[in-house]
Amino acid sequence: MASTIRLQSEDFDVAAETAALTRGRVDIGAVVTFTGICRASEAGHDVAAMTLEHYPGMAEEEIGRHVAEAERRWPLLGVVVIHRHGRLVPGDNIMMVAVAAAHRGAAFAAAEFLMDYLKTQAPFWKKEERRDGSAWVAAKSADDAAAERWAKALEG
Amino acid sequence: MASTIRLQSEDFDVAAETAALTRGRVDIGAVVTFTGICRASEAGHDVAAMTLEHYPGMAEEEIGRHVAEAERRWPLLGVVVIHRHGRLVPGDNIMMVAVAAAHRGAAFAAAEFLMDYLKTQAPFWKKEERRDGSAWVAAKSADDAAAERWAKALEG
Amino acid sequence: MRIVYFAWVRERIGKAEETVDLPAGVATIADLAGWLSGRGEEYAHAFADPKVVRAAIDRHHVKADAPIAGAREIAFFPPMTGG
Amino acid sequence: MRIVYFAWVRERIGKAEETVDLPAGVATIADLAGWLSGRGEEYAHAFADPKVVRAAIDRHHVKADAPIAGAREIAFFPPMTGG
């Protein structure tokens, strides 16, 4: 399966990445993309900007392990994961996932699986610039719960 | 909420539609898109082309009802649904859904909900050109089951 | 009453739409499908398995027992396969 | 042994990485966190709530009881908030 994993400070182009996944192919019936975007307000406070720190090396490897796991679970025909690092302002793209498959069920499931795992397992940390100074974003228990459901799905 | 519903014979540009959803906004944190693409092979037989027939008027209204229902269920910030009709060949885009929300859970759920309902409730019919002649595509029980789960989720 | 047909229902009947005057006693979608079936071989073929044929009244999906009184447009078609 | 720190663990300790010689008896991630905590106020602050600090050995997530023998690079960081 074709897979692309990139960490970069520059912006990305979801359309170009998706086009590269499907170009010249007639076996792909479904493409699901997720784009995460920096918001001006989180949990009730204003956000002027955020800085994304990552663990170089481990971030790529960890994402690669999740992509391999997704490919093991679902019949996928292509995956793209791009995650930015550095300083971002509201409206900026943060990251994207694109999954191609023959049918929509696999494409949706794999995209959600990748997002849930990236949120809780990929070594990235967000620091927000708020009106009262800057602060590291706390992990959300909802994200842990979302990642947990895939483990349960495996056992069940 | 901004919503766009279009039926057309021409192709569409997922990137342009998605850009229109998010342009100038800083409250959107998640965009999920689904693109359905014509495949060269379905259920073991070759497909040279397909023709999509629809019920003009009802198709737009039915999609509109599903979009309104999705908006009632989840806090959405924008929805685009575009469905093509007419003759398509393998590799051609068939339809797209894009959903914007503050957080990914609502965007993924609404996009899947819309797809499941469009598959089983929107008045479109596919006729495939196969090696041995042309034939109307039979509805899949898997699609009915996928749509059913949302009704169960409401009751449960 | 205006009746429209789609996909293989349309192909079997051989027309996309028609306007009909209904006799008394045709009160529901099932009644209408039964009455149409008696209009000729092509209709009988289209409604051979009435459970498979879906219906809409004025662009809303309805079940076989839906009353048709007051309808402007009734549609018959196979299960949908869009998306 | 090379140790790397990220996010507020890095900020509290005041450095992104260091190489340390470990005394005998420091066998697990929990042992290492405990030993580091004794190296000064900045470390004690970083590891004040050891349950919150996550660890990786050679770029794989591990739990507190993971043995560190043979590790080339050990990382400490807060719960991840990417995506």
Side-chain angles (χ1 to χ4, degrees):
Chain A
M1 184 199 67
S3 79
T4 299
I5 296 167
R6 286 209 313 273
L7 304 191
Q8 59 191 43
S9 54
E10 318 85 68
D11 196 11
F12 50 80
D13 179 345
V14 183
E17 301 297 337
T18 310
L21 265 187
T22 57
R23 188 171 298 126
R25 299 189 68 154
V26 292
D27 55 342
I28 291 171
V31 175
V32 170
T33 72
F34 175 86
T35 312
I37 302 166
C38 182
R39 299 170 68 230
S41 165
E42 286 291 344
H45 56 260
D46 290 345
V47 177
M50 64 161 64
T51 300
L52 265 152
E53 178 170 335
H54 74 297
Y55 184 170
M58 180 170 169
E60 293 88 331
E61 288 180 19
E62 188 66 19
I63 294 171
R65 287 189 282 269
H66 296 320
V67 170
E69 174 65 18
E71 198 184 350
R72 204 183 61 73
R73 291 183 182 213
W74 295 282
L76 306 181
L77 296 171
V79 173
V80 176
V81 179
I82 300 176
H83 205 304
R84 295 178 71 184
H85 50 74
R87 190 166 181 275
L88 304 175
V89 298
D92 280 354
N93 288 327
I94 300 172
M95 51 85 61
M96 67 163 281
V97 166
V99 178
H103 302 286
R104 77 186 187 289
F108 269 117
E112 284 200 80
F113 168 87
L114 286 169
M115 283 309 305
D116 288 344
Y117 268 84
L118 289 173
K119 282 265 176 191
T120 56
Q121 300 294 313
F124 289 87
W125 300 272
K126 292 186 183 117
K127 189 175 194 175
E128 293 175 349
E129 296 172 29
R130 304 174 185 170
R131 205 166 288 171
D132 54 351
S134 65
W136 292 96
V137 174
K140 286 185 199 162
S141 59
D143 287 333
D144 287 330
E148 265 300 300
R149 68 184 161 143
W150 299 104
K152 289 207 180 87
L154 246 193
E155 289 157 19
Chain B
M1 183 199 66
S3 78
T4 299
I5 296 167
R6 285 210 314 272
L7 305 191
Q8 59 191 44
S9 54
E10 317 84 70
D11 196 11
F12 50 79
D13 180 344
V14 183
E17 300 298 338
T18 309
L21 265 187
T22 57
R23 188 170 298 126
R25 298 187 68 152
V26 293
D27 55 343
I28 291 171
V31 176
V32 170
T33 72
F34 174 86
T35 313
I37 302 165
C38 182
R39 300 171 67 227
S41 165
E42 285 293 343
H45 57 260
D46 290 346
V47 177
M50 65 161 63
T51 300
L52 264 153
E53 179 171 334
H54 74 297
Y55 184 171
M58 178 169 169
E60 293 89 332
E61 288 181 19
E62 188 67 19
I63 294 171
R65 287 190 280 269
H66 296 320
V67 169
E69 174 65 18
E71 198 184 351
R72 203 184 61 72
R73 291 184 182 213
W74 294 282
L76 306 181
L77 297 171
V79 173
V80 177
V81 179
I82 301 176
H83 205 304
R84 295 178 71 185
H85 49 74
R87 190 167 181 276
L88 304 175
V89 298
D92 280 354
N93 288 327
I94 301 172
M95 52 85 62
M96 68 163 280
V97 165
V99 179
H103 301 288
R104 77 186 186 288
F108 269 118
E112 285 202 80
F113 167 87
L114 286 169
M115 283 308 306
D116 288 345
Y117 268 84
L118 289 174
K119 282 267 177 190
T120 57
Q121 300 293 313
F124 289 88
W125 300 272
K126 292 187 183 117
K127 190 176 195 176
E128 292 176 351
E129 297 172 29
R130 302 175 185 170
R131 206 167 285 171
D132 54 351
S134 66
W136 292 96
V137 174
K140 286 186 198 159
S141 58
D143 287 332
D144 288 330
E148 264 301 299
R149 67 184 163 142
W150 298 105
K152 291 209 180 86
L154 247 194
E155 289 157 20
Chain C
M1 182 173 288
R2 182 178 144 88
I3 311 187
V4 294
Y5 307 107
F6 294 97
W8 56 253
V9 175
R10 171 180 57 70
E11 287 183 340
R12 287 182 184 185
I13 290 173
K15 60 181 86 166
E17 58 174 278
E18 62 185 319
T19 300
V20 297
D21 290 316
L22 296 182
V26 175
T28 66
I29 289 289
D31 293 343
L32 177 58
W35 179 76
L36 288 166
S37 295
R39 297 183 79 207
E41 237 174 55
E42 66 278 27
Y43 289 93
H45 184 209
F47 290 99
D49 185 356
K51 278 195 219 77
V52 172
V53 180
R54 309 290 179 92
I57 295 179
D58 295 338
R59 301 175 172 180
H60 286 78
H61 291 293
V62 294
K63 303 223 159 141
D65 61 358
I68 62 174
R72 288 181 307 276
E73 182 174 280
I74 294 181
F76 288 103
F77 42 76
M80 284 70 75
T81 55
Chain D
M1 182 172 289
R2 182 178 145 87
I3 311 187
V4 295
Y5 308 107
F6 294 97
W8 56 251
V9 175
R10 170 180 57 71
E11 287 183 341
R12 288 183 183 183
I13 290 174
K15 59 182 87 166
E17 58 175 277
E18 61 185 320
T19 300
V20 297
D21 289 316
L22 296 181
V26 175
T28 66
I29 289 289
D31 293 343
L32 176 57
W35 179 76
L36 287 167
S37 296
R39 296 183 80 207
E41 238 175 57
E42 66 277 28
Y43 289 93
H45 184 209
F47 291 99
D49 184 356
K51 278 193 222 79
V52 172
V53 179
R54 310 289 178 92
I57 295 179
D58 294 337
R59 301 175 173 182
H60 286 78
H61 292 293
V62 295
K63 303 221 159 141
D65 60 359
I68 62 173
R72 288 181 308 276
E73 183 174 281
I74 294 181
F76 289 102
F77 42 77
M80 283 71 74
T81 55

